[in-house]
């Protein structure tokens, strides 16, 4: 679910940036009051994109903190199980790397 939210945010930011680029291109082709309006609209879109990206960053940081806290609590409550899990993962990674080295 979190990945789909991040993908949506990325698409939204890309869309806003594209719209801003289009407005800046139109502003470069025109002059006077219309160019000023286009530049102002483009600037507003850039600020919206920045705010959207900042909100996504804040969400990711908060989610990361929650994951770290949950993991720390689990390890504190189950130290031997955590050691066994870590050892198992290390063994699997070692076997995978060893097989890749043998085939390479």
């Amino acid at each position: 679910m979190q990945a789909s939210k991040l993908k949506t945010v990325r698409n939204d930011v890309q869309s806003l940036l594209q719209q801003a680029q289009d407005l800046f291109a139109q502003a470069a082709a025109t002059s006077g009051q219309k160019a000023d309006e286009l530049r102002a609209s483009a600037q507003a879109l850039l600020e919206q994109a920045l705010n959207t990206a900042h909100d996504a960053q804040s969400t990711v940081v908060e989610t990361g903190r929650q994951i770290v806290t949950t993991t720390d609590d689990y390890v504190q409550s189950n130290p031997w199980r955590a050691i066994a899990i870590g050892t198992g993962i290390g063994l699997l990674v070692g076997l995978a790397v060893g097989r890749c080295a043998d085939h390479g």
Side-chain angles (χ1 to χ4, degrees), residues 7-25 38-55:
K7 186 175 182 179
T8 301
V9 168
R10 187 188 72 194
N11 291 339
D12 290 349
V13 169
Q14 286 177 338
S15 176
L16 290 169
L17 292 175
Q18 184 60 50
Q19 291 173 20
Q21 285 178 336
D22 293 344
L23 289 174
F24 280 128
L38 290 170
R39 278 192 284 278
S41 295
Q43 185 65 33
L45 286 172
L46 288 176
E47 289 174 11
Q48 185 179 357
L50 179 63
N51 289 336
T52 300
H54 180 54
D55 291 346

Side-chain angles (χ1 to χ4, degrees), residues 29-101:
T30 61
S31 61
Q33 181 68 25
K34 181 68 175 172
D36 291 340
E37 291 171 4
L38 290 170
R39 278 192 284 278
S41 295
Q43 185 65 33
L45 286 172
L46 288 176
E47 289 174 11
Q48 185 179 357
L50 179 63
N51 289 336
T52 300
H54 180 54
D55 291 346
Q57 178 187 10
S58 297
T59 301
V60 168
V61 167
E62 182 57 34
T63 301
R65 285 185 181 145
Q66 290 173 356
I67 290 170
V68 167
T69 300
T70 302
T71 303
D72 186 53
D73 290 345
Y74 180 81
V75 170
Q76 295 294 326
S77 299
N78 305 294
W80 289 109
R81 187 178 290 173
I83 290 171
I85 291 170
T87 303
I89 290 172
L91 178 64
L92 292 175
V93 170
L95 289 172
V97 169
R99 287 183 183 226
C100 289

